[in-house]
Amino acid sequence: MQELLNTPGEAGALNDADLTLLPIRDLLKSRFFIPAYQRGYRWTNIQVEQLLDDILEFKKLNGPVSDAPDAPFYCLQPVVVKKRARNGQPEWEVIDGQQRLTTILIILHYFNKTEFKTERPLYHIQYQTRPDSETFLANLEDAALAAGNIDYHHMHLAYQTISNWFDALEEAHIGERSELYPVLVKNIKVIWYQVDDSSGRSDTVPVEVFTRLNIGKIALTNSELIKALFLQRGNFENGKVTARQLQIAAEWDTIEKQLQDDAFWFFIYDIANPLKYENRIEYIFDLMKGKQPEDEHYHTFNRFVEELARTRLPADRDKASLLWTEVKKYFLSFEEWFGNKEFYHLVGFLVDCRVPISTLKKEAEGRTKKAFRAYLDRQVHEQVKGDIATLDYDHQNTRKVLLLFNIQTLLATRNADFRFPFYRYKKDNWDIEHVRSRTAQQVTAGQRHHWLTGVLEYCTGLRETTAEHQQAAVAALREGEEKVIAQQILAILPEKRVGDNVFEALYKRISQHFREHNLPGDIDHISNLALLDSGTNRSYKNAMFPVKRKRILDNDKTGIFVPICTRNLFSKSYSSRMSDLIYWEASDAADYLLAMQQTLELYLKTPEPAQ
């Protein structure tokens, strides 16, 4: 869809500058043609009643109908058309939106049948597959005529639904039929797109556009509609149209390019957000207009339409430029935070903790940088406050603390330019991993070959190699316990299934060699946990400390990102004793916890009250 909107001159392109908001009354002299490639009319009573309910709700909220240019209006979803001629008469071929147009026409027919002595003007719809459709649409109440085909049947049901809805309205003394007619024709508008066919391929272009719009029912996005809204020619003085359109379009592309940079995007975007974005600038618009997942699809576009209609400016200024400036200012706040090392890390952390970035943006308004930093510190404290020595694998704050430990370690290194990569943290789905492994019972039958291969790789120093290379490497090992272990693993690996007794005996021998068989302490305690990406975590699940240590340090050497605190831990940088680097002991866990407590002291203690 974006290609359709942004390719000037391409056959079938929807031109950014050609979006128009048309009230129903502006369509009343039009003729519409529904081509054969479209399905027939299929709206249900629920959809018809929803439209009527929305119109009634609009009237209740906005009072008497007004013709003023800034009068509020209710906006229907897009109608996409192409100009054509039939029998010498101009008409519009409807590419998308025929269900809405037909329903509105049925409502207008209802008013003519029940309210007006002299019928009011109506637009005309001709279905290519139903040559007598115009005749039927003038006799919608005729059940016998409706029985002729399925399309007429659904149109007749829609007419009955409309009649019943208005009867219920008057029985409940909510209002009269006639009160909604002026609302319908004056204050209900459609988003009108005219397809530009500059190639002359009049028969193929509408089909292509229809297909691209309707395969999978891909709706026009809010950002596509907002772009067209900003760039429509009526927003600008005649002499400034092209220049201002080009400027806004260029700035739009610059913002979208920055948002397509994952390093920037995952700094401001919470992956738990159910709203997903192909055009990421739409996220900025949704934040500005407070869109929630439960809001209707075009919530954000409708809010911009209303704001554009309300805006009053001197003759020498244009509305679109004013609104676009607000968009740029909103975005530039995030860009400024991204460029500030402290704001980048603290805001990124809070966004990952599900604090809405729109809330942070609102709190930043009117504050100095110093005051905003103090606000961020208080919010971080709220996320991790408490005694971290009480945290374990299942506690909701454990991941937050481990993440903040990495972030604060980087913030404390003032001269380092390195930043925590939120995009990797979110895209790679980082897990909480045990430093010291679980017991043999946690290594399932299906994991045993993989687990033993990891131990063999540690012993030989070879990774992902052939059986011949493994045998040669084991033969070359110095005599000792690790060679015996490697030989036993080589003997077992060719077997399809490693038996329980065989595996448990070998596991016990390996565990004793690596001093992991009887370590004290709670294995799920935070002092035995670290952050790792899920891919690396799965590759050595339940592996023992030296195997994990070797793989992590190998990853770091080959350029695979390893978080700084995880690297420090497996390098035993936090340990007060530097002997026995391949073992993880109770003293190492205690030193690791102490390092966390000292690094996070700023956020664990109660912050100073706001000035």
Side-chain angles (χ1 to χ4, degrees):
M1 195 60 230
Q2 187 65 37
E3 181 183 351
L4 282 174
L5 285 166
N6 290 340
T7 311
E10 180 186 348
L14 296 176
N15 197 322
D16 285 333
D18 288 344
L19 175 139
T20 309
L21 292 166
L22 293 181
I24 298 301
R25 65 180 177 185
D26 285 7
L27 306 181
L28 295 179
K29 295 181 180 180
S30 299
R31 301 186 66 85
F32 295 99
F33 176 75
I34 310 299
Y37 58 77
Q38 297 221 28
R39 70 171 185 164
Y41 181 75
R42 291 295 183 274
W43 263 27
T44 67
N45 64 318
I46 295 175
Q47 292 166 297
V48 174
E49 289 175 352
Q50 181 63 60
L51 175 59
L52 291 167
D53 289 341
D54 288 348
I55 295 172
L56 178 62
E57 184 66 19
F58 172 83
K59 179 183 178 298
K60 289 179 181 178
L61 293 175
N62 295 282
V65 174
S66 171
D67 287 326
D70 59 346
F73 60 89
Y74 179 83
C75 193
L76 296 176
Q77 294 186 13
V79 173
V80 182
V81 296
K82 175 188 173 293
K83 186 179 291 185
R84 54 169 276 158
R86 182 166 59 97
N87 300 327
Q89 288 187 301
E91 65 179 10
W92 298 105
E93 179 174 339
V94 179
I95 299 171
D96 195 47
Q98 63 112 342
Q99 305 285 335
R100 291 180 289 280
L101 282 174
T102 301
T103 305
I104 293 293
L105 181 59
I106 295 172
I107 297 173
L108 292 171
H109 268 295
Y110 173 81
F111 278 117
N112 270 347
K113 292 291 184 181
T114 61
E115 295 302 313
F116 308 130
K117 294 181 179 179
T118 302
E119 291 189 351
R120 303 289 175 90
L122 299 173
Y123 53 80
H124 298 271
I125 296 180
Q126 173 69 52
Y127 285 79
Q128 186 176 9
T129 58
R130 303 282 185 255
D132 58 348
S133 55
E134 286 188 89
T135 301
F136 173 72
L137 284 168
N139 298 276
L140 284 159
E141 69 279 13
D142 190 332
L145 193 59
N149 66 66
I150 189 63
D151 293 340
Y152 296 170
H153 172 70
H154 283 287
M155 292 176 189
H156 174 70
L157 291 180
Y159 185 86
Q160 286 186 317
T161 298
I162 293 164
S163 178
N164 294 338
W165 186 88
F166 276 105
D167 288 346
L169 181 72
E170 293 195 343
E171 287 176 10
H173 303 289
I174 297 174
E176 297 182 0
R177 294 174 173 83
S178 58
E179 294 177 352
L180 286 188
Y181 180 81
V183 176
L184 177 62
V185 297
K186 294 180 180 180
N187 295 106
I188 305 302
K189 296 186 179 184
V190 298
I191 304 165
W192 181 268
Y193 268 123
Q194 180 180 343
V195 171
D196 172 28
D197 177 20
S198 57
S199 70
R201 297 183 298 133
S202 58
D203 293 333
T204 59
V205 168
V207 178
E208 292 173 5
V209 176
F210 173 80
T211 301
R212 296 167 78 177
L213 281 171
N214 287 277
I215 288 181
K217 289 309 294 179
I218 301 172
L220 288 166
T221 66
N222 280 269
S223 62
E224 290 165 344
L225 293 172
I226 291 168
K227 185 174 187 181
L229 180 68
F230 280 174
L231 298 182
Q232 61 180 327
R233 301 181 67 84
N235 288 333
F236 309 98
E237 293 181 75
N238 289 337
K240 299 180 180 179
V241 172
T242 302
R244 290 296 294 126
Q245 286 175 335
L246 290 175
Q247 181 181 354
I248 291 176
E251 292 172 346
W252 181 293
D253 290 344
T254 298
I255 292 175
E256 180 65 29
K257 183 179 180 181
Q258 174 74 315
L259 291 168
Q260 287 295 333
D261 178 359
D262 283 348
F264 187 89
W265 175 248
F266 287 104
F267 154 62
I268 64 172
Y269 179 70
D270 178 7
I271 58 173
N273 188 345
L275 298 173
K276 307 303 179 184
Y277 301 92
E278 179 180 353
N279 304 317
R280 291 178 174 178
I281 196 171
E282 186 167 330
Y283 180 53
I284 304 299
F285 298 139
D286 282 353
L287 291 173
M288 293 179 69
K289 300 307 175 186
K291 183 174 182 177
Q292 301 300 315
E294 63 272 15
D295 289 334
E296 53 93 13
H297 181 71
Y298 291 115
H299 167 90
T300 298
F301 171 69
N302 288 332
R303 300 294 82 75
F304 272 101
V305 168
E306 293 166 1
E307 188 168 356
L308 199 64
R310 289 195 305 267
T311 305
R312 285 285 173 267
L313 290 175
D316 61 342
R317 298 188 63 193
D318 60 81
K319 300 177 183 179
S321 293
L322 181 66
L323 288 183
W324 179 242
T325 298
E326 293 179 9
V327 173
K328 288 194 298 182
K329 286 182 178 178
Y330 200 97
F331 168 78
L332 288 173
S333 295
F334 300 150
E335 195 171 54
E336 181 181 359
W337 296 351
F338 184 74
N340 181 300
K341 184 178 179 180
E342 293 181 343
F343 289 174
Y344 166 81
H345 285 99
L346 298 180
V347 169
F349 171 76
L350 290 170
V351 168
D352 188 72
C353 293
R354 309 292 181 257
V355 177
I357 197 165
S358 56
T359 300
L360 302 179
K361 172 69 172 63
K362 184 176 180 180
E363 292 292 339
E365 294 172 3
R367 296 180 190 260
T368 63
K369 288 184 177 181
K370 182 178 180 180
F372 183 53
R373 168 61 197 265
Y375 166 80
L376 293 177
D377 286 341
R378 292 194 298 275
Q379 296 308 305
V380 171
H381 167 75
E382 289 299 313
Q383 296 296 327
V384 299
K385 64 183 179 181
D387 183 6
I388 65 174
T390 64
L391 301 182
D392 60 16
Y393 187 85
D394 295 319
H395 197 285
Q396 62 178 358
N397 281 1
T398 299
R399 183 184 293 269
K400 296 178 183 179
V401 168
L402 294 174
L403 173 59
L404 187 61
F405 184 33
N406 280 272
I407 287 172
Q408 185 59 19
T409 297
L410 293 171
L411 281 175
T413 310
R414 298 291 179 180
N415 296 326
D417 292 330
F418 187 76
R419 291 165 160 243
F420 185 83
F422 289 105
Y423 70 101
R424 289 185 172 180
Y425 175 72
K426 295 179 180 181
K427 290 180 71 175
D428 295 342
N429 189 25
W430 283 11
D431 289 337
I432 302 173
E433 165 68 349
H434 290 84
V435 179
R436 176 165 60 91
S437 67
R438 295 177 181 269
T439 64
Q441 286 71 32
Q442 299 292 334
V443 183
T444 65
Q447 297 171 336
R448 288 172 183 174
H449 278 87
H450 186 72
W451 190 91
L452 291 170
T453 300
V455 178
L456 183 63
E457 289 174 356
Y458 168 79
C459 293
T460 63
L462 297 178
R463 187 172 180 180
E464 298 178 358
T465 187
T466 65
E468 290 77 8
H469 286 138
Q470 288 174 338
Q471 290 170 355
V474 171
L477 290 175
R478 291 193 309 176
E479 295 298 326
E481 182 66 4
E482 288 188 7
K483 184 169 184 175
V484 174
I485 290 172
Q487 288 171 334
Q488 292 184 1
I489 293 174
L490 273 182
I492 291 174
L493 285 180
E495 299 178 10
K496 289 185 177 180
R497 182 182 181 277
V498 181
D500 293 347
N501 293 335
V502 172
F503 179 76
E504 288 176 8
L506 184 52
Y507 183 94
K508 182 178 180 181
R509 182 167 194 162
I510 296 169
S511 178
Q512 289 175 337
H513 177 65
F514 291 136
R515 302 181 188 175
E516 297 205 5
H517 59 295
N518 60 356
L519 287 179
D522 180 3
I523 196 170
D524 287 332
H525 189 258
I526 193 171
S527 61
N528 191 50
L529 303 174
L531 286 178
L532 279 173
D533 68 276
S534 59
T536 303
N537 191 1
R538 284 192 301 269
S539 72
Y540 56 66
K541 194 166 186 66
N542 296 326
M544 293 182 178
F545 179 78
V547 177
K548 295 177 183 178
R549 180 178 186 274
K550 182 178 186 305
R551 291 233 181 133
I552 289 169
L553 297 183
D554 284 347
N555 284 348
D556 193 44
K557 285 188 291 186
T558 56
I560 298 174
F561 176 73
V562 178
I564 185 170
C565 294
T566 300
R567 185 173 68 242
N568 289 346
L569 181 154
F570 281 96
S571 299
K572 299 193 75 169
S573 300
Y574 302 119
S575 300
S576 55
R577 293 190 308 155
M578 294 305 294
S579 59
D580 298 331
L581 291 178
I582 67 169
Y583 305 123
W584 180 257
E585 302 181 291
S587 60
D588 299 312
D591 290 340
Y592 175 50
L593 175 62
L594 179 61
M596 269 192 276
Q597 292 170 324
Q598 292 174 340
T599 302
L600 299 180
E601 181 182 9
L602 169 66
Y603 299 112
L604 299 179
K605 66 181 182 181
T606 304
E608 296 293 328
Q611 298 295 321

